[in-house]
Amino acid sequence: MDNIISLLIGRDAGLFDSDIRAFEQLLDERVAHASFLVIGGAGTIGQAVSKEIFKRSPKKLHVVDISENNLVELVRDIRSSYGYIEGEFKTYALDAGSLEFKALLDTQTGYDYVLNLSALKHVRSEKDPYTLMRMVDVNITNTERTIQYALDKSAHKYFCVSTDKAANPVNMMGASKRIMEFFLAYYSREINISTARFANVAFSDGSLLHGFNQRLFKGQPIVAPDDVRRYFVTPTESGQLCLMSCLLGENLDTFFPKLSDKLHLISFAEIAEKYLNYKGFQVYRCDNEDEARELATTLPQQGLWPCYFSSSDTTGEKDFEEFFTAEEILDTDRFNSIGVIKNSTEVADKELTKVAWFRDEVLRLRARGHWSKTDIVDVFEQMLPNFKHKDTGKYLDGKM
């Protein structure tokens, strides 16, 4: 599947192949002598990371996720691809914030590495104050909670995935991940922590590209913006970058993919056309949603697929993508295709009061039992003075 995805996003080789080859022996040795807890391990990135760990034969690999169905698919995928290992491999359909999860940890002697891949990743999640507060809980509060679990179990390392949208964020999802990075800095004085920022994961669960599969399966038109260009990595590449950061990153390192001729901007409309061509169809451009819906019942029989490509006008769309800011210190020499943002624990000392203040403000809003989107945005903007929230009043749920 990754080979097909690579072709659709315009690549003929894996982005991190040279670095994986260069550090393969070290990665294998570190995994083989360690135990792992992967939280949120049944999402697209979580599954990719879990498979990268499993195929290197860890002593123990426990995967936790709230999606029972996705965990089933992870097990089937691993058994079909790699078979079995001598070490312990178990999955648990649990919420990482639940009593049951804590009870599980109480029965374990500990983990060498704790990886947190759980996240609310959609820009559309900021459309209402209730889902937005859950984003705060999952992306920030749950990070603090799982770091504490790692500390309680004397883990060697904690890894948590971030996003390119945390660099100069314009939407609440990106801002939540930037604030999460402050929490990572805060706790880096007590445990080694690393993270990764990377581009959109092509065809990940719930993404627009994943939606292309669903639309074809259901005989529905494809809709995509033609003015939004993004960087994409494959699911396997996302797992490789996370594993490299977890096992090779120093305290507070943030790994990101270097820009190169392999990693280039491509529009959703371009990918839609390549995707349809791969599936044996030609694009038929429609003028509006109504026309696209109507033609979906007749055009496919003619080898044409109705598509509506339009400009983007929804909340939270960033005009361009970036993996780091001008103020961040970079190491671009250690790896061939991976850059590293070198953060210092001095950041943690400066941000101590900010982290405590943010935690208290969120607790205050939750204890009140009601809050508005404006309440949460205000807290975010005080936490991130340079945060320029881009709200057009239009959201993706209002589109096809």
Side-chain angles (χ1 to χ4, degrees), residues 372-391:
S372 66
K373 180 176 176 179
T374 300
D375 290 332
I376 302 176
V377 172
D378 286 346
V379 173
F380 272 47
E381 289 181 340
Q382 290 185 65
M383 184 71 177
L384 303 172
N386 295 324
F387 175 39
K388 300 294 188 294
H389 183 231
K390 184 178 179 181
D391 193 335

Side-chain angles (χ1 to χ4, degrees), residues 289-349:
E289 290 187 1
D290 289 336
E291 181 188 9
R293 274 189 292 266
E294 182 179 344
L295 292 176
T297 60
T298 57
L299 278 187
Q301 290 86 345
Q302 305 170 41
L304 302 172
W305 204 272
C307 297
Y308 176 50
F309 299 145
S310 62
S311 59
S312 176
D313 60 357
T314 52
T315 292
E317 288 294 344
K318 198 170 183 178
D319 295 332
F320 59 94
E321 291 198 312
E322 56 192 330
F323 298 110
F324 52 85
T325 66
E327 295 76 29
E328 291 173 320
I329 299 171
L330 307 182
D331 174 2
T332 57
D333 297 325
R334 184 180 179 193
F335 302 102
N336 181 52
S337 52
I338 298 171
V340 183
I341 301 170
K342 302 296 295 184
N343 295 303
S344 167
T345 52
E346 293 178 5
V347 175
D349 295 332

Side-chain angles (χ1 to χ4, degrees), residues 116 118 133-147 158 160 172-173 175-181 183 187 355 358-359 362 380 383:
N116 179 17
S118 61
M133 182 59 85
R134 182 165 180 261
M135 179 191 287
V136 173
D137 186 56
V138 173
N139 291 1
I140 303 172
T141 307
N142 187 58
T143 298
E144 184 173 31
R145 187 185 300 123
T146 53
I147 290 175
Y158 179 88
C160 188
M172 296 295 282
M173 190 280 286
S176 73
K177 284 294 190 176
R178 181 66 187 115
I179 294 170
M180 180 205 76
E181 291 178 350
F183 276 77
Y187 281 99
V355 166
F358 181 88
R359 184 194 300 121
V362 171
F380 272 47
M383 184 71 177

